[in-house]
Each structure stands twice: as structure tokens, then as C-alpha cells.
Amino acid sequence: MKLGDVLRSGDWKSEKHVPVIEAPDTVAAGQPVDIKISIGEEIPHPNTAEHHIRWIKLLFQPNEGFTFELADVQFAAHGEGLKGPAEGPCYTEPSAAVTVRLKESGTLLALSYCNIHGLWESSKAITVE
Ligand code: FE
């Protein structure tokens, strides 16, 4: 068994666990670019103490060489509170914006973790000019 064997993927329009990467197809070398990573853009994922998205990682695979981690976003609040697991005052929704600068073309990779349904991946090619 390898890590790749347990990573699930799918079309984010029909599978609520797949991370969505919103980024330009082409960016200017070395210039800041905003990337949004989220879960459940078309099909909301539950956000309860019992069932929620716990984190999303954003990675960068240059066309040559090893993989880099760009961001690690933890979603820590899921409705827990003094009166009960769904009686709390706040929730973190599984969505974040990250600003990066790239000097080489490659692929953005997103990895998300649901506390019940495990690990999910998606990717998006990005060209640096
Ligand atoms: Fe789930």
C-alpha cells in the first residue's frame, strides 16, 4: 500500500470532497497571484463536529524536480460549544485564499482531508510566462 493508493479524486461538480483550485491558467513570473482553495463549491460538504473538512494543503509540482508545499490551512471550528457539539457560536468553512509567486511552470496540487471520508486530491496546471 502506498499513499497514492488511498488518495481519492473525482469531478468537483459531482463529488463534494474534491478540492477546488481557482487560479489563472497563465501568470507572470515572480508576480503575486491569488489562488483560492475550497471544498464543496457546487455540492456543500457537511460542517459539523461529527463530520467536517479538517484541512487542505496546497502544493506545487514544477515541471522538473521535487514537490513543494505552498500552504497548509486548518479548519478548526465545527460548531462545538459548551451546550453541545452543535450548539457553539462559530464554524470555519473549508475555503481559503493564498497568494503565491511562481518562477516556473508546473502543476498546483490540492490535498484535502475529511474526518470521515479520508484524503482527496485535485490538480491544475499553471503556466508561468
Ligand atoms: Fe465527508
Side-chain angles (χ1 to χ4, degrees):
M1 178 81 64
K2 292 185 176 180
L3 182 58
D5 297 335
V6 300
L7 298 184
R8 296 172 188 276
S9 62
D11 183 347
W12 58 266
K13 291 189 175 179
S14 56
E15 169 50 60
K16 66 188 177 198
H17 288 95
V18 176
V20 180
I21 303 169
E22 293 173 63
D25 294 331
T26 303
V27 299
Q31 295 302 306
V33 55
D34 293 335
I35 298 171
K36 183 182 174 191
I37 47 178
S38 62
I39 301 284
E41 178 157 294
E42 297 240 336
I43 309 171
H45 185 278
N47 189 357
T48 65
E50 295 85 1
H51 184 193
H52 54 260
I53 301 298
R54 196 160 291 175
W55 50 255
I56 304 175
K57 281 182 187 288
L58 181 66
L59 306 123
F60 179 61
Q61 176 61 58
N63 287 343
E64 291 181 26
F66 293 108
T67 310
F68 293 84
E69 182 179 32
L70 292 172
D72 176 20
V73 185
Q74 304 281 331
F75 307 111
H78 307 285
E80 308 88 335
L82 199 57
K83 296 174 187 162
E87 305 298 325
C90 57
Y91 295 79
T92 320
E93 292 297 325
S95 174
V98 180
T99 304
V100 305
R101 294 186 293 116
L102 302 174
K103 293 163 71 178
E104 298 177 24
S105 297
T107 303
L108 297 166
L109 301 163
L111 181 64
S112 62
Y113 176 64
C114 168
N115 70 323
I116 291 180
H117 298 110
L119 293 166
W120 295 77
E121 66 173 331
S122 67
S123 64
K124 183 186 191 312
I126 191 161
T127 300
V128 173
E129 292 182 338

